[in-house]
């Protein structure tokens, strides 16, 4: 066993050499501007659901506001959908029509 480990360490290859792992495709999560959702709410969602720093959240919110939309993150499909659902639920509970999509 130590011979296998030493050989593996010397070549830089893992024991599972030749194994190919395909990563799932990633999807963008896009926020769209509207005239009703507050900037504060958008920043709060970006911090609490998308784990953005306050500075990044403010910059993204500004981009959404000024350009009409912005990609706020890129995730595997399942994670993107989960975050979109959490965001839409939070918006609905707070009475905001925030549009957020997986693209």
């Amino acid at each position: 066993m130590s011979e296998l480990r030493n050989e593996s360490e010397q070549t830089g290859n893992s024991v599972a050499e030749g194994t190919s792992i395909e990563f799932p495709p990633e999807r963008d999560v896009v926020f769209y501007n509207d005239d009703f959702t507050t900037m504060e709410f958008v920043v709060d969602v970006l911090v609490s659901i998308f784990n953005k720093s306050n500075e990044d959240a403010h910059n993204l919110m500004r981009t959404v506001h000024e350009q009409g939309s912005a990609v706020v993150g890129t995730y595997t499909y399942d994670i993107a959908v989960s975050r979109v659902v959490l965001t839409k639920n939070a918006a609905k509970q707070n009475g905001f029509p925030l549009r957020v999509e997986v693209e």
Side-chain angles (χ1 to χ4, degrees):
M1 179 77 162
S2 64
E3 290 175 10
L4 178 62
R5 185 173 49 202
N6 288 338
E7 184 179 318
S8 174
E9 289 170 359
Q10 290 171 0
T11 62
N13 296 329
S14 67
V15 175
E17 186 176 328
T19 302
S20 177
I21 297 174
E22 270 191 52
F23 293 98
E26 293 189 329
R27 308 295 175 137
D28 292 334
V29 175
V30 180
F31 276 33
Y32 292 90
N33 190 44
D34 64 65
D35 293 332
F36 303 101
T37 305
T38 64
M39 292 179 183
E40 181 180 270
F41 178 78
V42 172
V43 169
D44 288 345
V45 165
L46 290 170
V47 169
S48 64
I49 295 175
F50 291 87
N51 302 315
K52 302 295 181 187
S53 68
N54 260 340
E55 183 179 349
D56 287 345
H58 275 90
N59 290 337
L60 284 167
M61 175 273 298
R62 277 276 176 228
T63 301
V64 171
H65 180 69
E66 293 169 0
Q67 297 181 9
S69 66
V71 173
V72 300
T74 302
Y75 310 94
T76 60
Y77 179 77
D78 291 343
I79 292 172
V81 168
S82 295
R83 290 184 186 200
V84 165
V85 168
L86 288 170
T87 301
K88 287 181 177 183
N89 288 343
K92 186 176 180 178
Q93 288 175 355
N94 286 278
F96 294 122
L98 178 62
R99 182 174 160 218
V100 55
E101 304 291 335
V102 175
E103 296 184 356

